[in-house]
Structures are given as C-alpha cells and as structure tokens.
Amino acid sequence: MRAVRFSCIFLFSTVLVFWAIERTSGWADAHAMELAAQEQTVDRGDAITGTRPVEELALLMEHRYGLPVTYEDPVWEFPGDLTTGAKYPKELTFALPVELAPSRRRTLDAAVLAEAMAAYHSQTDGPRYRIATSRLGLHLIPDQVRRADGTFARARNPLDTVIDMPVTLRSRSQHVQDLCDRLSAAAGDRILYVDAYHDDRGKPGERLVAWGARDISAREALIQLLEASDAALHWHLNCLSGRLCFLQVEPINLPQVVVAIGPGAIPRAQIPMLPLDWCADCKRPALDFFPLPVVVK
C-alpha cells in the first residue's frame, strides 16, 4: 500500500512539473538551457568561447556562488573587435585556471574574480575590464577599449553618466525604463530596456516603489534600485556598433535541480521564476511546492 501511495505521489508530481515547464515562456526556457550548457562546458575543463566571454564568466560565477555579478559591454568602435560585416563582437576564447575550481575557491570575492579576469586579459586581445564591488555584488566594467584606430584608450561607459531623477511612485521595471530614457538623452547612446518578462499574455501588475536618484552615476542608481528587491538581481548591458545598447535586469541564475525521468531522459533545467516583488499578481507554479522527481545517474 505504501509503494502504491508513493507511486501516485511521484506520478502526480511529475505531471505538475511538466505542466509548470510548459507554462513558462519560451525565452526563459531557451535562456536557462543556454546557461546550463555554458556551465557544463566550463566544468569539463574546456575554454570559455563566445562573442562575450566575460559575460559568460559572470554568469558562471553567479551559478557557482549565488552572488550577483553584473556585466557591461564597451561602446564598440574598432572594426577589429567586431565580426566581419556585422555589428556584433567577434568570438574570443580563454581558459580559466584550474585553481579557480569551486572545490578550491569556496567563496567569490573581487580577488577570485580578478584571477579569472587576469586569464582573460592574458589570453585575448579584447577590451580590458575592471572589477568593482558594491552592496549589490560584483561588477565587471569596461576599463580600456580600442578606439577606431585600434589603440587602447579609457572606456567611455554609458552607465558612468551622472543622472538626476526625481522621486516618483512607479514599478521597478518602469523606473529602469525611465533611467534608460534619461541615459539615452544624456549620454548620446541609445539605451533600450529589454523587458525580459513581457510576453504575449501581457505583463501582470507590478508593485509600486517610490524611488529617485540625484547627481549619481546611472550604475549607482541601478544598485540603489535593485538592492532593495526581494530577489537577487543583476543587470547586463549589451551593445552593438553604432552606439546602440540593450539593458536587461533579471534574477541571477542559480544552479537548478534538473528533471530527468527514466533511462536516457534528457535533463531540463528548472527555470527561474519572476521575483515576486516585481510582480504583485504572479502566482508561484506547482513546481515550487512539490519535490522534483530526479534520477541520479
């Protein structure tokens, strides 16, 4: 009788798991699986390869340690930094030192991240980055970038721009949108806010927050806004040539339990949910309340 009861619970949980997965938006599914693939590649000891390898490093460190690591692209000017005939950065590869394995580095701090960045700087000819710390977490910020003639110069970053925003009562995502509009007007670059949670079903109502910023950098303004959230959030600023950038704010992607049922089943990453304080009407799916059936291979 006990075995029958267990089988029923297991079957019921399985149905709920796949129901929840199917209800999750397609972009989030693809994003979560992409991040899982990136981490599996590095965990095998392979090099980090991509058009934005430093961004992939930031995501990897968040996976391992659960600490936000924000990332910003430089403003691209040198054609040699871009894919031939395209506006996107070219692919670069670097390998992390074996000393940075999680078994040897139990916690993440600026010193650990600096070791990883030293490997990137020594193995590539891409932009140089500096590391900053804040109440929110760690930040990877362009420091030296090639100008149009190929020479390195101090980076001019959109988020360095000093802004002044009056205190208003808005949702956090609307505050980010307003910040991007203010940046676009002040910095001379087009900064577009990518609302990753908006889908065809429409966005649920968000909680309103009184917030503003006075005579501080846009980066510090984001830190003030995001550190008060109930969820651990980061931002990524991705730019194309032509001074067009996209800012995305989302929860950090922590290691997720995978669903793998039966021999030969393909694991699927559990998809991070929208932070509840950004979405007043959101309801947690059944996936949060039932144990995931997992086959350990």
Side-chain angles (χ1 to χ4, degrees):
M1 185 65 180
R2 184 173 301 174
V4 172
R5 182 181 303 172
F6 175 81
S7 298
C8 291
I9 293 174
F10 180 84
L11 179 60
F12 182 62
S13 299
T14 301
V15 171
L16 288 171
V17 165
F18 285 101
W19 174 82
I21 289 176
E22 290 303 320
R23 286 178 60 87
T24 308
S25 59
W27 77 266
D29 196 2
H31 184 58
M33 296 184 74
E34 178 186 2
L35 295 181
Q38 290 172 358
E39 185 171 15
Q40 289 169 4
T41 297
V42 178
D43 282 346
R44 290 200 306 267
D46 296 335
I48 297 179
T49 299
T51 57
R52 294 180 173 89
V54 175
E55 181 177 33
E56 294 184 20
L57 172 66
L59 294 171
L60 173 66
M61 291 300 179
E62 287 182 340
H63 275 233
R64 288 180 172 178
Y65 299 101
L67 180 70
V69 182
T70 71
Y71 168 81
E72 301 167 32
D73 265 350
V75 175
W76 305 100
E77 296 184 15
F78 180 51
D81 285 333
L82 304 172
T83 302
T84 303
K87 296 184 175 183
Y88 303 92
K90 69 180 182 180
E91 191 172 88
L92 297 174
T93 298
F94 76 102
L96 287 176
V98 295
E99 292 79 9
L100 293 185
S103 59
R104 302 188 185 189
R105 297 291 194 275
R106 297 293 185 180
T107 59
L108 177 63
D109 56 20
V112 171
L113 193 57
E115 290 185 56
M117 290 307 302
Y120 163 81
H121 289 146
S122 66
Q123 298 174 40
T124 76
D125 62 351
R128 276 34 192 159
Y129 293 80
R130 62 185 175 88
I131 300 168
T133 61
S134 75
R135 304 172 302 279
L136 184 69
L138 297 169
H139 309 277
L140 289 168
I141 304 169
D143 185 48
Q144 297 284 320
V145 63
R146 294 185 191 275
R147 297 305 188 197
D149 61 1
T151 59
F152 273 107
R154 184 176 181 83
R156 182 190 63 79
N157 301 309
L159 296 188
D160 290 336
T161 305
V162 175
I163 61 172
D164 190 353
M165 300 178 64
V167 175
T168 56
L169 185 64
R170 297 178 181 269
S171 68
R172 279 195 174 88
S173 61
Q174 187 59 56
H175 284 308
V176 177
Q177 177 65 69
D178 293 345
L179 185 147
C180 288
D181 293 341
R182 189 65 57 94
L183 269 180
S184 296
D189 306 301
R190 288 187 64 198
I191 313 295
L192 303 181
Y193 173 43
V194 179
D195 188 351
Y197 292 106
H198 185 81
D199 57 26
D200 295 336
R201 295 170 296 178
K203 187 171 184 178
E206 293 183 89
R207 297 179 185 176
L208 301 182
V209 177
W211 178 81
R214 183 172 180 79
D215 296 331
I216 58 176
S217 72
R219 187 179 299 106
E220 178 62 27
L222 276 172
I223 291 170
Q224 288 184 3
L225 177 62
L226 301 187
E227 68 170 336
S229 172
D230 292 343
L233 302 168
H234 69 200
W235 72 78
H236 282 211
L237 182 70
N238 294 137
C239 298
L240 307 178
S241 65
R243 301 188 180 280
L244 174 61
C245 299
F246 302 87
L247 179 68
Q248 182 167 323
V249 175
E250 62 183 359
I252 66 173
N253 291 277
L254 299 179
Q256 304 292 329
V257 178
V258 298
V259 180
I261 304 171
I266 300 176
R268 296 188 64 179
Q270 179 183 348
I271 296 155
M273 295 293 107
L274 179 69
L276 295 184
D277 62 324
W278 279 54
C279 184
D281 298 332
C282 284
K283 296 180 180 179
R284 290 188 181 275
L287 188 62
D288 285 359
F289 295 116
F290 290 89
L292 291 176
V294 176
V295 173
V296 180
K297 300 180 180 180

